Amino acid sequence: MTRHTLFGVALDPLTMDETVQRCLDAVRRGEQIEIGMVNAAKLVNMRRDPALAEAVAGCDLVLADGQAVVWAGRVLGVRLPERVAGIDLFMRLLAAAEVADIPVYLLGAQQEVLEMMLRQISERFPQLRVAGSRNGYFGDSEQEEIADSVADSGARLLFLGMTSPKKEIFTAGYGKRTGAHVVHGVGGSFDILAGITKRAPLVWQRMGLEWFYRTLQEPRRLGKRYLTTNAAFLAMTVRELIHRTPSAGSANRSHC
């Protein structure tokens, strides 16, 4: 399937079902897929952080994690069929792995949060084979050793519950070394699954207000960040729209 370019970033126009199938096909064929997820904030940060932009661009699949990205695509004439939320893909893959007996590795979050999440996973997916897990607090010098531990575990699906750009940098540098057939950075999904933070209700998600719901939970930490990145994303969209829309004068001259 041909990728579509939005804000200079190549995106895969896949539905959730298509993405899950691509991942399961990769496991079946013994291929490796690194998944990059982009929302409004990350697209803004990618313009400020070349290393992050390069890491995302190097992923085998790059998906629209944020509803704002899908809407911006519609405004700019770039068709993305739907939002593929990282946490929803995470849950779909866990369920599929339980059915198909695919071993998984969970890397990220604080140790206490990780343990809480593992308990929740064992209740929701009692037959799921967890090949290994580790908290996400480690230095750059430890990345190679951790990648080797994942490889030794035999895990076929690797989920990274770490913030950006750490998860993207790890994926770019060591994703292949882990031996996992699918590497998926799920961000704060470990916290949500552990019950530490609450996910926005479905109606908020459909309205593209999941960021606002999170801000209400952590206003001091997230308030300024979201307002800044959302304003920057809106400005990016407007500039791109102006750039893509020919002026009346140029349109008239084209018919002369």
Side-chain angles (χ1 to χ4, degrees), residues 221-238:
R221 188 175 76 87
L222 299 177
K224 184 178 179 180
R225 181 196 306 178
Y226 276 128
L227 288 175
T228 301
T229 54
N230 284 355
F233 183 74
L234 180 60
M236 279 171 53
T237 305
V238 171

Side-chain angles (χ1 to χ4, degrees), residues 22-74:
R22 285 284 294 273
C23 292
L24 295 178
D25 287 345
V27 174
R28 180 172 53 83
R29 296 170 184 166
E31 300 172 352
Q32 287 188 301
I33 289 180
E34 296 173 358
I35 299 175
M37 312 295 291
V38 295
N39 54 22
K42 190 176 293 183
L43 286 171
V44 170
N45 290 331
M46 285 169 65
R47 293 200 164 186
R48 302 168 179 170
D49 186 343
L52 173 61
E54 183 179 356
V56 173
C59 290
D60 302 287
L61 290 180
V62 182
L63 305 165
D65 178 42
Q67 187 62 46
V69 177
V70 177
W71 287 342
R74 290 175 186 169

Side-chain angles (χ1 to χ4, degrees), residues 16 37 65 83-91 184-186 189:
M16 177 65 76
M37 312 295 291
D65 178 42
R83 176 193 185 198
V84 181
I87 185 170
D88 293 333
L89 179 58
F90 178 34
M91 300 303 290
H184 175 25
V186 299
S189 298

Side-chain angles (χ1 to χ4, degrees), residues 105-109 111 114 132-138 142 146 190:
Y105 196 105
L106 300 143
L107 174 61
Q111 185 63 34
L114 178 63
S133 64
R134 191 199 188 283
N135 67 59
Y137 287 78
F138 53 85
E142 299 175 87
I146 290 169
F190 285 15

Side-chain angles (χ1 to χ4, degrees), residues 90 105-118 132-138 146 150 158-163 166-167 170 184-191 194:
F90 178 34
Y105 196 105
L106 300 143
L107 174 61
Q110 297 177 5
Q111 185 63 34
E112 182 182 1
V113 174
L114 178 63
E115 291 172 1
M116 293 170 66
M117 183 196 65
L118 288 170
S133 64
R134 191 199 188 283
N135 67 59
Y137 287 78
F138 53 85
I146 290 169
V150 177
L158 170 60
F159 301 103
L160 305 176
M162 301 183 288
T163 57
K166 186 172 183 177
K167 64 177 180 290
F170 179 86
H184 175 25
V186 299
S189 298
F190 285 15
D191 286 351

Side-chain angles (χ1 to χ4, degrees), residues 191-192 195-201 204 209-223 226:
D191 286 351
I192 294 174
I196 300 298
T197 58
K198 293 182 179 180
R199 193 179 182 194
W204 289 59
L209 292 175
E210 198 162 5
W211 65 272
F212 186 56
Y213 190 86
R214 287 192 62 198
T215 301
L216 292 177
Q217 293 184 72
E218 300 181 80
R220 289 189 177 182
R221 188 175 76 87
L222 299 177
Y226 276 128

